[in-house]
Amino acid sequence: MKLETVKIDQINPAPYNPRKDLKPSDPEYQKLKKSITEFDMVEPLILNKRGNVLIGGHQRLKVLKEMGRKEVEVSVVDLPPAKEKALNLALNKISGEWDLPLLKDLLESIDTGELPDIEITGFSEREIEQLMAQVHSIDEEWQGMPEFNDPDPWIRRIVVHFAKTEDVIEFFKLLQQSYTEKILSIWYPMKENQDLKDKRWQ
Amino acid sequence: MPQFPLYIPSKGRWESRLTSKALEEMGVPYRVIIEEQEYSQYAAVIDKSKLLILDKQYQRDYDTCDDLGDTKSKGPGPARNFIWEHSIAEGYPWHWVMDDNIKGFSRMNNHQRIYTTSPSFWRAMEDFVLRYKNVGMAGPDYAMFALSGSAQPPFILNTRIYSCNLIRNDIPFRWRGRYNEDTILSLDMLKAGWCTVQFNAFLQRKITTQQIKGGNTEAFYAKEGTLPKSQMQVAMHPDVSKLAYKFGRIHHYVDYRPFKKNKLIRRTDIEWPEGVNDYGMKLIQIKPS
């Protein structure tokens, strides 16, 4: 383990950190503050030297800032982004409350094939399935609202990246579809939205 | 019926008054905010009890976000801020504000856009935003953007809400900017962590801005083109906006992807509804006009 003392204002919290952010008024925050006041820092924060990104210890960093600390001892690691995120998850798995949508985003972002095994995050596949079942889909949010059906739900979605606008336009020509900047996704074969002028919702 | 008040800021459009006519057809109450010098023209065609005169102080106090002062029109922002305070004074927690060039409203379902004259159109959107703790603004998308062939969900989170806006009154923002005030307000909210909801299930049939005369922005586009508008957008939110020259003119592009992290937070003090609720709307056959 490589320990270093770094300036607190040089540490960058991970924007994807999926833990619920504690507020000073939260009992958990108060407990943490009391513990640091009593015992000081008995366990170092974990910092990725690539970008000075904080991997473990976000709530402790918040408390230290409030206490006016200028420096802190950190354990420094050197990890690529996917492994950095996986370690964040593994370190955070033990306690605290998850921000489920952020957790879902994080799991999706590291599930790129780079990691040898998703379970190095500390989550089994079964646990991931159970957690994801708690994240609400758009369809679930739409419950109790007027009917909104897609009569032909998509069976496969492929994301294609283009380096140039000209290539996008060329792609649309090949598909014989018209291109506008507002289009975020398309159907192939094309499906038409129809204006039904002989019907009305009253 | 909607539970929150509907307002239409209007200028020079007493003849066309498309949105007023659409709301009359739906049978919902509304108010039109006009400038004092146009009172007689509007009073000749709209019930006087529906007219509110814009307090000029709102024009004097308006933050145009530029140094041009009174040399150009300040756009619809002053009237929209007047409306915001008016609805608060009347005790409402939310209000609707909409442009005066909307010829009607539609529902989309099964890839079909169908006009609606049901007042439930408004109530359904209101009920939806009230389920959450952190929606700042919502509204129906333009029907022309519910594009053929585009796979779309019933709503999109955290993007620009324009032209027909349901706004939460107790949030610490107000309209600002001589141009692009819809985008600026949307970004002000999103950056502070609020969510915005753009409905695809509910649509507005907006006439293209320069197709009918009048309106607060008429003076801008005919004389200046779109460059000053795009420049103001980039100046106000440079971190997510950029200028681009495409298809022979200047465009501005806003990147809403950073706001994907703003998630809807459900209220826990309400029973979550299930199934479909068409709010009493019935699909009927009519003769095409």
Side-chain angles (χ1 to χ4, degrees):
Chain A
M1 184 159 66
K2 187 182 173 193
L3 292 175
E4 285 180 17
T5 300
V6 299
K7 289 194 165 61
I8 277 183
D9 61 9
Q10 290 177 350
I11 298 174
N12 300 313
Y16 54 78
N17 186 50
R19 279 290 182 211
K20 290 271 186 194
D21 193 26
L22 294 180
K23 295 183 176 57
S25 55
D26 292 337
E28 291 302 317
Y29 184 97
Q30 291 300 327
K31 280 186 213 166
L32 191 57
K33 190 174 173 184
K34 277 183 192 167
S35 165
I36 293 174
T37 306
E38 180 68 26
F39 303 112
D40 206 351
M41 290 287 286
V42 292
E43 191 184 357
L45 308 182
I46 315 292
L47 191 73
N48 192 0
K49 67 185 285 188
R50 302 188 191 188
N52 271 1
V53 176
L54 184 65
I55 304 179
H58 285 79
Q59 311 301 347
R60 281 179 289 154
L61 179 70
K62 200 169 179 179
V63 172
L64 290 171
K65 279 183 179 172
E66 193 213 328
M67 292 168 76
R69 296 281 186 91
K70 301 294 179 207
E71 293 183 330
V72 66
E73 191 168 57
V74 298
S75 170
V76 179
V77 295
D78 182 8
L79 295 173
K83 282 198 172 170
E84 173 194 297
K85 291 175 178 177
L87 179 58
N88 172 288
L89 278 174
L91 291 169
N92 276 313
K93 186 163 184 286
I94 297 157
S95 64
E97 195 183 345
W98 294 107
D99 183 323
L100 286 173
L102 273 181
L103 176 61
K104 185 179 184 209
D105 286 349
L106 181 53
L107 284 165
E108 284 174 353
S109 75
I110 62 176
D111 186 21
T112 58
E114 277 180 69
L115 296 180
D117 182 355
I118 193 79
E119 296 196 356
I120 67 167
T121 60
F123 288 92
S124 68
E125 286 194 14
R126 174 96 181 121
E127 284 174 309
I128 291 171
E129 279 174 21
Q130 286 171 343
L131 279 167
M132 292 307 101
Q134 297 172 49
V135 182
H136 303 295
S137 66
I138 281 188
D139 286 345
E140 286 165 334
E141 301 292 5
W142 198 248
Q143 287 294 303
M145 281 285 117
E147 186 179 68
F148 188 90
N149 286 330
D150 186 340
D152 304 302
W154 56 272
I155 58 159
R156 180 139 186 234
R157 182 174 287 172
I158 300 172
V159 178
V160 183
H161 296 275
F162 298 94
K164 292 184 293 189
T165 304
E166 292 73 28
D167 295 337
V168 186
I169 294 167
E170 187 62 26
F171 180 73
F172 272 74
K173 275 186 197 160
L174 287 171
L175 298 181
Q176 298 184 314
Q177 297 200 18
S178 44
Y179 167 72
T180 79
E181 287 182 281
K182 297 282 179 188
I183 291 178
L184 298 176
S185 66
I186 58 171
W187 280 96
Y188 187 84
M190 180 149 173
K191 293 180 190 303
E192 294 282 351
N193 281 333
Q194 296 172 290
D195 281 314
L196 297 190
K197 293 185 176 162
D198 62 338
K199 290 195 169 65
R200 180 151 302 182
W201 286 102
Q202 276 191 335
Chain B
M1 280 291 171
Q3 58 178 312
F4 304 128
L6 284 69
Y7 296 93
I8 311 167
S10 187
K11 184 175 180 179
R13 286 182 173 158
W14 56 87
E15 287 174 348
S16 55
R17 62 185 192 286
L18 288 177
T19 310
S20 305
K21 288 174 183 170
L23 296 182
E24 293 280 354
E25 195 178 3
M26 295 173 113
V28 295
Y30 66 92
R31 259 81 60 89
V32 182
I33 292 70
I34 57 170
E35 293 181 18
E36 194 173 13
Q37 68 273 16
E38 294 184 338
Y39 180 81
S40 59
Q41 289 96 323
Y42 277 96
V45 292
I46 293 179
D47 177 356
K48 293 184 185 62
S49 68
K50 295 182 186 298
L51 297 177
L52 295 172
I53 305 284
L54 172 62
D55 179 345
K56 288 193 171 74
Q57 191 63 40
Y58 284 85
Q59 290 172 315
R60 287 191 286 272
D61 293 346
Y62 188 66
D63 178 7
T64 53
C65 303
D66 62 21
D67 299 324
L68 300 172
D70 294 327
T71 59
K72 290 190 201 180
S73 164
K74 292 185 175 179
R80 293 183 184 183
N81 281 338
F82 168 81
I83 286 164
W84 199 319
E85 301 306 332
H86 188 274
S87 67
I88 289 173
E90 289 197 333
Y92 289 102
W94 293 71
H95 71 276
W96 287 96
V97 59
M98 58 199 76
D99 290 355
D100 57 354
N101 55 352
I102 302 170
K103 67 176 182 177
F105 301 91
S106 296
R107 272 185 59 183
M108 187 157 83
N109 185 26
N110 292 317
H111 297 298
Q112 295 170 339
R113 292 176 295 215
I114 300 175
Y115 264 99
T116 178
T117 52
S118 168
S120 299
F121 175 84
W122 306 100
R123 187 57 180 257
M125 285 186 278
E126 291 171 353
D127 284 354
F128 186 83
V129 301
L130 290 174
R131 295 168 167 189
Y132 304 97
K133 294 178 183 174
N134 62 333
V135 175
M137 183 156 65
D141 197 5
Y142 290 180
M144 61 183 161
F145 291 158
L147 295 164
S148 288
S150 183
Q152 287 171 321
F155 65 92
I156 293 173
L157 270 187
N158 303 336
T159 184
R160 179 174 82 133
I161 309 300
Y162 34 38
S163 301
C164 182
N165 304 43
L166 173 60
I167 299 172
R168 180 169 163 154
N169 282 344
D170 65 355
I171 55 179
F173 308 100
R174 287 299 181 268
W175 296 97
R176 64 190 182 107
R178 197 181 296 272
Y179 315 89
N180 279 335
E181 59 288 336
D182 293 284
T183 307
I184 292 171
L185 181 62
S186 299
L187 288 171
D188 285 346
M189 291 185 187
L190 292 168
K191 284 185 176 179
W194 292 88
C195 288
T196 61
V197 178
Q198 185 188 69
F199 293 102
N200 289 321
F202 306 110
L203 301 168
Q204 52 175 314
R205 300 278 180 161
K206 176 148 161 107
I207 299 289
T208 309
T209 302
Q210 290 142 79
Q211 268 190 324
I212 55 172
K213 69 174 188 177
N216 280 289
T217 52
E218 182 188 46
F220 299 152
Y221 304 125
K223 294 176 190 165
E224 304 172 348
T226 54
L227 179 59
K229 173 181 170 170
S230 295
Q231 285 172 327
M232 174 165 284
Q233 174 59 41
V234 175
M236 289 299 97
H237 289 286
D239 51 332
V240 289
S241 311
K242 64 179 180 187
L243 282 183
Y245 187 78
K246 283 182 190 170
F247 310 119
R249 71 181 182 95
I250 296 287
H251 293 258
H252 62 267
Y253 170 75
V254 180
D255 183 3
Y256 290 96
R257 288 175 299 178
F259 310 113
K260 190 184 168 198
K261 68 180 191 311
N262 298 6
K263 306 292 184 185
L264 288 172
I265 301 171
R266 288 184 173 191
R267 277 173 53 188
T268 51
D269 58 340
I270 58 170
E271 193 170 332
W272 205 257
E274 289 184 357
V276 170
N277 179 359
D278 273 324
Y279 281 78
M281 287 183 258
K282 302 247 185 303
L283 192 59
I284 60 158
Q285 191 77 29
I286 58 163
K287 281 187 186 169
S289 54

